[in-house]
């Protein structure tokens, strides 16, 4: 298979995955969920599917991407999604993007963007702006540092643990 043919095959697979993520999002709306769908693929195979479950589960962190990450980790028996691709119907919010980074996802592909989401009433642009532009003292939530003398106690215990699993 030539490189061009291989690239075309990969792009077709990514389009199929994106169509699946968009269908998950659309079905989610029909079932009372939010309009977001995501999947995790590894080695050319889908290992997890998810849709937004925020209102269904009363969990503000149950975004499609986070739910897909959780399901993929369970399915693969690991907390690291190295070698995986996250395909999501919409550009991830800062929480989902951060979760993807923590999960060590190799690639992230999205279709609709933050501006498309804002038109539909899901305006996360203020969160992007918060992290990108606004000094902490202007955040809508107070973020404070309380420096206690034993602040490193959990880390000390972690470093002393001989059977820890590093990540």
């Amino acid at each position: 298979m030539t490189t061009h043919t291989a690239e075309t095959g990969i792009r077709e697979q990514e389009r199929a995955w994106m169509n699946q993520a968009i269908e998950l999002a659309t079905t989610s709306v029909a079932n009372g969920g939010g309009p977001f769908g995501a999947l995790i693929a590894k080695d050319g195979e889908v290992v997890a599917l998810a849709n937004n479950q925020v209102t269904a589960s009363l969990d503000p962190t149950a975004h499609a991407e986070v739910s897909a990450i959780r399901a993929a980790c369970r399915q693969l028996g690991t907390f690291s999604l190295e070698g995986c691709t996250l395909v999501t119907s919409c550009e991830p919010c800062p929480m989902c993007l951060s979760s993807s980074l923590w999960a060590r996802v190799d690639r992230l592909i999205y279709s609709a963007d933050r501006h498309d989401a804002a038109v539909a009433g899901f305006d996360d642009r203020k969160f992007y702006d918060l992290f990108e532009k606004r000094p902490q003292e202007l955040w809508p939530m107070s973020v404070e540092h309380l420096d206690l003398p034993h602040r490193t106690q959990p880390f000390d215990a972690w470093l002393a643990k001989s059977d820890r699993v590093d990540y």
Side-chain angles (χ1 to χ4, degrees):
M1 182 180 277
T2 66
T3 303
H4 177 70
T5 306
E7 287 176 15
T8 302
I10 291 169
R11 277 288 177 211
E12 288 174 11
Q13 185 175 50
E14 290 171 354
R15 287 181 195 278
W17 290 340
M18 186 59 72
N19 285 330
Q20 194 171 8
I22 291 169
E23 186 59 34
L24 283 166
T26 305
T27 301
S28 180
V29 172
N31 293 331
F36 303 95
L39 63 85
I40 302 279
K42 184 171 185 173
D43 300 327
E45 300 294 325
V46 174
V47 296
L49 302 167
N51 62 284
N52 181 284
Q53 292 289 317
V54 170
T55 57
S57 64
L58 304 177
D59 179 354
T61 68
H63 291 200
E65 299 89 342
V66 172
S67 296
I69 288 168
R70 290 172 179 161
C73 288
R74 282 191 303 271
Q75 177 67 28
L76 297 172
T78 182
F79 56 82
S80 174
L81 296 180
E82 288 182 52
C84 292
T85 299
L86 170 59
V87 180
T88 180
S89 63
C90 187
E91 179 180 8
C93 71
M95 177 187 70
C96 293
L97 185 58
S98 296
S99 297
S100 302
L101 292 167
W102 275 109
R104 309 297 195 264
V105 170
D106 280 3
R107 293 181 65 225
L108 188 150
I109 305 168
Y110 68 91
S111 189
D113 66 19
R114 64 182 85 174
H115 308 292
D116 297 320
V119 169
F122 296 89
D123 194 353
D124 292 339
R125 292 177 297 189
K126 62 186 173 190
F127 299 133
Y128 286 97
D129 291 346
L130 179 70
F131 292 112
E132 294 171 0
K133 300 177 185 169
R134 296 180 74 189
Q136 254 186 3
E137 58 271 7
L138 296 178
W139 287 18
M141 165 184 73
S142 173
V143 177
E144 302 172 26
H145 177 219
L146 179 58
D147 189 7
L148 296 179
H150 60 290
R151 70 185 179 279
T152 62
Q153 181 177 324
F155 299 120
D156 297 339
W158 171 256
L159 291 171
K161 185 174 171 55
S162 63
D163 61 343
R164 71 179 181 266
V165 176
D166 291 323
Y167 58 98

